[in-house]
Amino acid sequence: MAERSVIFFDIDGTLLTHDKKLPALTKEAIFTLKEAGHEVAIATGRAPFMFEDLRKELDIHTYVSYNGQYVVLNGEVIDRNALNLPSLEKLTATALENDHPAVYMDHEDMKANVPEHSYITESMSTLKIGRFPAHNSNYYKDREMYQTLLFCAEGEEKQYERKFEDFDFIRWHPVAVDVIPAGGSKAKGIEKIIEKLGYPRERQYAFGDGLNDREMLSSIYHSVAMGNASDEIKAVAKHVTESVEDDGLYRGLQLVGLL
């Protein structure tokens, strides 16, 4: 049996298929890891309320959400990193001038700054979470926001990257990008958990496939890129497994000796 380790899993394209299904072998693997005494955690760009059902199904209570901006260990919030409010107000004004809507997100809910927009519908529907953001253009003004979604076509985020140094922009859909505090990442959120749990570097594992997994996969000692990841992401990982559609997570766990 392998030594007890901590393993971080991305959700979309890693735990879940592109149709947002949880493969039977993936679920079996998670519980096998837990029964062996390993610490199993999630590291995602999603909001906490976007994967509550998955956490319950897999009995996982430790997670990095919002690409590292909201971190929970065994059900307790241990780190928060909110967006700069004055900069968010300026970003909102610029985006509205460009007909680029935004969705503001805290740990409990999300609200859009426009009543409706085709980009919001197109991208949010791919998450299959059963909810869309209601309209409240002032939602961000009296609470901490950990991530904002900016809806614009590929390449259009460049103008925002040049203008807003307080934020990082990470594309997750052809018409949508995550806006997070500059320098924030899943890797930074994972550091907060590791500080508490104390697992040595050689007993840390991470699985992912997206652009927002780059820092995580390049910093974690045993990193595994899914077969459906881009070549750019595969290049920074230590191992590459099969596609999520081909039980890549289960096979990846076998590859690194955890199963």
Side-chain angles (χ1 to χ4, degrees):
M1 180 184 298
E3 283 190 287
R4 291 176 62 179
S5 302
V6 60
I7 309 109
F8 295 90
F9 296 104
D10 169 54
I11 293 180
D12 301 287
T14 302
L15 283 172
L16 300 183
T17 66
H18 298 300
D19 290 330
K20 308 309 175 188
K21 303 295 185 182
L22 179 66
L25 278 179
T26 292
K27 185 174 182 177
E28 176 187 319
I30 296 300
F31 280 97
T32 297
L33 292 173
K34 290 166 64 67
E35 289 165 6
H38 297 300
E39 183 81 32
V40 178
I42 287 173
T44 181
R46 289 190 182 212
F49 55 81
M50 288 182 172
F51 61 104
E52 188 174 0
D53 289 345
L54 181 63
R55 297 200 307 273
K56 289 179 179 178
E57 183 174 1
L58 296 177
D59 193 29
I60 293 176
H61 308 286
T62 294
Y63 58 89
V64 172
S65 61
Y66 285 136
N67 292 310
Q69 315 320 305
Y70 193 85
V71 183
V72 173
L73 173 61
N74 295 322
E76 178 185 352
V77 180
I78 62 169
D79 193 63
R80 306 174 188 231
N81 186 27
L83 294 163
N84 179 276
L85 178 56
S87 294
L88 184 56
E89 288 184 318
K90 293 175 183 177
L91 174 69
T92 294
T94 301
L96 287 173
E97 290 174 1
N98 295 328
D99 189 29
H100 293 157
V103 168
Y104 311 113
M105 312 177 81
D106 63 6
H107 62 294
E108 295 178 326
D109 206 354
M110 57 181 173
K111 302 293 183 182
N113 67 343
V114 296
E116 60 180 19
H117 195 284
S118 61
Y119 281 5
I120 296 178
T121 303
E122 179 184 344
S123 57
M124 296 297 288
S125 63
T126 65
L127 296 176
K128 298 186 178 180
I129 58 174
R131 63 191 288 184
F132 281 83
H135 177 217
N136 182 347
S137 58
N138 294 318
Y139 189 67
Y140 68 94
K141 294 185 177 181
D142 60 354
R143 68 200 79 209
E144 288 189 334
M145 295 292 114
Y146 303 107
Q147 183 167 279
T148 290
L149 305 181
L150 177 67
F151 299 86
C152 59
E154 289 187 79
E156 290 184 321
E157 71 273 20
K158 299 300 181 183
Q159 61 181 299
Y160 298 99
E161 291 174 353
R162 291 190 294 267
K163 187 173 182 179
F164 296 97
E165 296 180 353
D166 285 339
F167 302 141
D168 285 340
F169 299 83
I170 307 170
R171 183 162 293 280
W172 60 273
H173 185 275
V175 297
V177 298
D178 292 332
V179 183
I180 63 173
S185 68
K186 291 184 182 183
K188 291 286 182 64
I190 286 173
E191 285 179 8
K192 300 299 181 181
I193 292 176
I194 297 300
E195 287 173 5
K196 297 284 189 179
L197 297 180
Y199 284 93
R201 189 164 178 262
E202 63 272 13
R203 285 162 53 201
Q204 300 171 23
Y205 296 77
F207 288 70
D209 74 300
L211 292 175
N212 61 344
D213 294 315
R214 182 192 291 109
E215 294 85 358
M216 176 178 76
L217 295 180
S218 60
S219 63
I220 294 294
Y221 187 76
H222 298 287
S223 59
V224 183
M226 303 298 288
N228 42 279
S230 66
D231 289 341
E232 175 184 353
I233 297 305
K234 289 176 181 176
V236 302
K238 193 169 186 178
H239 305 280
V240 177
T241 184
E242 303 297 322
S243 166
V244 64
E245 310 291 344
D246 298 316
D247 293 314
L249 186 143
Y250 185 89
R251 295 173 186 271
L253 288 167
Q254 290 179 318
L255 177 67
V256 297
L258 286 172
L259 290 181

